[in-house]
Amino acid sequence: RKEVEQDPGPFNVPEGATVAFNCTYSNSASQSFFWYRQDCRKEPKLLMSVYSSGNEDGRFTAQLNRASQYISLLIRDSKLSDSATYLCVVTLTVSGGSYIPTFGRGTSLIVHP
Amino acid sequence: ETGVTQTPRHLVMGMTNKKSLKCEQHLGHNAMYWYKQSAKKPLELMFVYSLEERVENNSVPSRFSPECPNSSHLFLHLHTLQPEDSALYLCASSQDRAGANVLTFGAGSRLTVL
């Protein structure tokens, strides 16, 4: 079983649509959770952290379900500029106390006019 | 400019060459990472350094050799690579502590092995 699993998509949606991405992780000891965004031929950039209580940043809402080892990202009122790959990231602590981030393969979103 | 600078941005090398990738961060972070990104695959963690000590080596072939002389610089030395090593190599840095381990990536070094 892969450590971090995402549906690769692509998700092809019209402008204004609401779209949701899911991510599951295998290690129950995982400690920190993030969504990153990667544009074509660019480096990944942090979109938002994911907190146990759920959190919102404008049109973006992230949820964490530790019991089900599941993370989600909801994008409301999709814009053309939201087209990108969305990467789920889960961080574990290794011996010595360092934090190791593990990436999912990413979910591709295409927003069309 | 993200605060993490990688050079060279593009590199073409033969299988017998020796080359190095360089990464420099200006963010005051204490951890640095090398990731490999190939088409259709997730980012693969290669090496992690925290406070200049290697804390993770993810079963990477010995033809890749990392070096971290200080907390701001990270190198990836390459020798006798294979064509399947062609990929985008991404360097990242972070603060290695709970709740603050957000990665900042460089723009990457795109490597082609002939």
Side-chain angles (χ1 to χ4, degrees):
Chain A
R1 184 181 171 187
K2 295 186 181 122
E3 291 183 55
V4 181
E5 292 210 54
Q6 293 182 254
D7 180 347
F11 284 62
N12 202 321
V13 303
E15 271 187 291
T18 296
V19 61
F21 304 139
N22 302 321
C23 171
T24 57
Y25 59 95
S26 59
N27 193 321
S28 59
S30 299
Q31 297 183 305
S32 304
F33 308 89
F34 307 91
W35 284 101
Y36 281 69
R37 170 191 169 133
Q38 186 171 24
D39 293 288
C40 187
R41 304 191 74 81
K42 298 277 193 176
E43 73 275 15
K45 293 184 179 177
L46 178 70
L47 178 66
M48 58 196 302
S49 301
V50 186
Y51 303 118
S52 296
S53 54
N55 49 298
E56 190 174 306
D57 182 2
R59 297 182 292 109
F60 299 84
T61 301
Q63 299 273 354
L64 167 63
N65 184 322
R66 284 189 183 269
S68 302
Q69 296 179 203
Y70 170 96
I71 306 158
S72 66
L73 176 68
L74 184 76
I75 306 176
R76 290 181 299 279
D77 189 23
S78 300
K79 311 290 184 192
L80 295 176
S81 57
D82 292 334
S83 298
T85 297
Y86 291 83
L87 302 164
C88 175
V89 181
V90 172
T91 299
L92 271 173
T93 307
V94 297
S95 58
S98 289
Y99 297 86
I100 304 299
T102 300
F103 283 74
R105 65 184 299 168
T107 298
S108 176
L109 173 66
I110 302 168
V111 182
H112 58 81
Chain B
E1 182 61 50
T2 65
V4 179
T5 303
Q6 289 188 242
T7 55
R9 293 291 309 277
H10 299 273
L11 177 63
V12 179
M13 58 188 289
M15 291 165 60
T16 57
N17 292 159
K18 288 185 182 181
K19 298 285 186 184
S20 295
L21 306 181
K22 179 183 175 183
C23 178
E24 184 174 0
Q25 58 99 359
H26 308 276
L27 301 169
H29 289 163
N30 61 8
M32 295 187 78
Y33 310 76
W34 279 117
Y35 282 89
K36 175 183 177 183
Q37 188 169 39
S38 306
K40 310 285 186 191
K41 288 187 176 182
L43 269 77
E44 299 171 55
L45 180 63
M46 300 176 73
F47 300 104
V48 181
Y49 279 82
S50 179
L51 298 172
E52 300 148 51
E53 288 195 19
R54 190 190 303 183
V55 298
E56 183 84 353
N57 173 1
N58 232 11
S59 303
V60 178
S62 59
R63 57 186 183 269
F64 294 92
S65 173
E67 178 190 359
C68 187
N70 55 60
S71 59
S72 298
H73 293 86
L74 184 64
F75 294 89
L76 187 63
H77 303 301
L78 317 169
H79 64 100
T80 58
L81 295 191
Q82 305 297 311
E84 61 264 28
D85 296 323
S86 298
L88 181 67
Y89 289 84
L90 288 160
C91 173
S93 69
S94 76
Q95 280 299 109
D96 188 21
R97 57 183 174 85
N101 39 52
V102 172
L103 299 175
T104 301
F105 283 89
S109 294
R110 186 162 296 280
L111 172 67
T112 303
V113 181
L114 301 176

